[in-house]
Amino acid sequence: MLTQVKDLFAITLFDVKKIQYYSRFMFDFTQPYLTVSYIKEGEVITTDDGKEYIAKTGDVMIHRPDTPFNVISQKEGIHFLFSIELHVREGEDFFQLFPFNKVITIRDTALYEKKFDELKDMWQQKDHEQGSVQAGFLALFLLHEIVESSKIGGKRASIDTFEIARFNYALHYIEKGLERNITREELADIYHMNPVYFSRAFKQVYELTPMQMLQKMRLIQAKRMLEDQENTIEQISQECGFYDASHFNRVFQKAFRMSPSNFRKSIKSTKTGIVPTWSEDRL
């Protein structure tokens, strides 16, 4: 019996890289293509359609094209990423035909990592036709592993190279000093940069100015502290760097359209509240 596979594949790879960071904060980030982010080390809170999920070592996060998402990690981490478009049959988007869950636990992490390393090596040779074809096959293999995991090589470089997330030390510095009056000039001095240029470059990376990022991170920490009923509003406002409880109330109300006290009540009464909370699902 002869079986023919007539589906046509059109694969476009946009990027293949490894990222290492101290801490990672991305808010309302969008991109024009689908990105698969495998967590080699670390733990991340990520979002999808207003829901929050926790992705841990050995998981992949699927970031859909043109869909805003957040990535929040207060731990050191390493991610393996590739960005891709895949069309099948008469130009149909594969990811529309087979929608992935937001977070998927990989069944064989050692195999996935080995094939990713091969993909990265081929990607570095993408100017050669053979390397480009092999990179496409390896990307398909990784997608196959993700598909199968959701139901339940070439020569390697001698030294692994990692892309160090730009300004991630500044994020780490902010995170460790939320209670202090950190200034733009102080952060710029870390990189020996002019404060105006630093602020402009920082915004290009994170779509927020350094001071907007500082306030965003203070609010994230405040929300976490509000979940502990023993933390007083005054204590939270002080430890998160707000001038006083009144200032904290105003900023929180503006950001989340509810007071800290009402947010705390919503957690206590429903465990979910109006503001999205961490999902217990591993969808």
Side-chain angles (χ1 to χ4, degrees):
M1 179 178 179
L2 179 64
T3 301
Q4 291 183 330
V5 180
K6 297 182 178 180
D7 283 356
L8 300 177
F9 293 85
I11 306 169
T12 305
L13 277 170
F14 295 95
D15 204 2
V16 180
K17 60 187 177 185
K18 297 182 178 182
I19 293 180
Q20 185 176 24
Y21 55 84
Y22 293 111
S23 53
R24 192 162 174 81
F25 297 86
M26 300 169 63
F27 301 106
D28 299 324
F29 191 80
T30 59
Q31 51 198 6
Y33 33 72
L34 184 135
T35 296
V36 177
S37 179
Y38 170 80
I39 303 176
K40 165 67 173 176
E41 295 179 13
E43 181 174 304
V44 173
I45 303 170
T46 187
T47 58
D48 185 45
D49 290 335
K51 296 181 181 179
E52 292 185 354
Y53 303 91
I54 299 176
K56 300 181 179 180
T57 299
D59 292 343
V60 293
M61 300 181 292
I62 307 297
H63 303 309
R64 294 176 294 172
D66 303 314
T67 302
F69 64 90
N70 298 343
V71 170
I72 303 167
S73 177
Q74 294 183 301
K75 298 181 179 180
E76 294 185 31
I78 297 174
H79 291 193
F80 296 178
L81 300 94
F82 68 96
S83 300
I84 189 171
E85 281 184 354
L86 174 59
H87 293 93
V88 297
R89 298 175 185 170
E90 301 299 324
E92 296 180 78
D93 186 345
F94 170 80
F95 301 106
Q96 294 293 331
L97 295 174
F98 196 105
F100 287 117
N101 295 326
K102 180 64 178 179
V103 176
I104 299 168
T105 299
I106 296 301
R107 60 179 183 169
D108 188 339
T109 57
L111 178 61
Y112 188 96
E113 292 173 17
K114 178 178 182 294
K115 292 301 180 182
F116 183 92
D117 282 338
E118 293 177 9
L119 171 61
K120 187 170 179 292
D121 288 345
M122 289 298 103
W123 173 252
Q124 293 171 341
Q125 304 172 35
K126 62 182 181 296
D127 292 336
H128 303 289
E129 184 175 351
Q130 183 178 4
S132 178
V133 172
Q134 286 181 277
F137 287 151
L138 287 165
L140 283 176
F141 180 90
L142 293 178
L143 289 176
H144 171 75
E145 283 301 297
I146 294 170
V147 169
E148 291 303 307
S149 295
S150 69
K151 296 177 182 177
I152 27 185
K155 181 180 178 181
R156 294 185 58 180
S158 57
I159 300 177
D160 272 337
T161 57
F162 294 89
E163 177 178 321
I164 306 300
R166 194 180 187 194
F167 302 132
N168 89 83
Y169 183 77
L171 295 178
H172 185 68
Y173 186 87
I174 292 171
E175 178 199 347
K176 297 304 180 183
L178 292 177
E179 77 286 355
R180 298 194 299 106
N181 183 28
I182 297 175
T183 65
R184 179 185 67 174
E185 287 72 20
E186 184 178 350
L187 294 171
D189 190 56
I190 295 174
Y191 296 92
H192 307 288
M193 295 171 65
N194 175 279
V196 174
Y197 177 75
F198 168 75
S199 185
R200 185 182 303 124
F202 188 97
K203 188 173 183 179
Q204 287 178 344
V205 175
Y206 298 109
E207 300 184 354
L208 293 171
T209 67
M211 295 300 97
Q212 288 171 335
M213 179 66 81
L214 171 60
Q215 179 145 296
K216 193 105 177 181
M217 291 170 69
R218 281 173 170 163
L219 287 168
I220 290 172
Q221 180 63 16
K223 283 176 64 179
R224 293 198 180 102
M225 292 186 70
L226 283 166
E227 294 180 6
D228 185 344
Q229 301 292 325
E230 293 184 3
N231 292 326
T232 67
I233 298 298
E234 290 75 14
Q235 178 186 354
I236 295 172
S237 62
Q238 181 179 6
E239 293 188 16
C240 293
F242 297 97
Y243 298 127
D244 51 33
S246 177
H247 177 233
F248 172 46
N249 270 277
R250 290 197 304 273
V251 174
F252 195 95
Q253 177 80 40
K254 182 177 180 181
F256 302 116
R257 298 185 180 180
M258 60 173 16
S259 69
S261 297
N262 285 338
F263 175 76
R264 170 169 277 171
K265 289 176 183 177
S266 70
I267 295 174
K268 187 176 181 179
S269 61
T270 67
K271 301 297 183 183
T272 55
I274 297 175
V275 180
T277 56
W278 296 4
S279 172
E280 298 295 330
D281 300 327
R282 298 301 300 275
L283 300 178

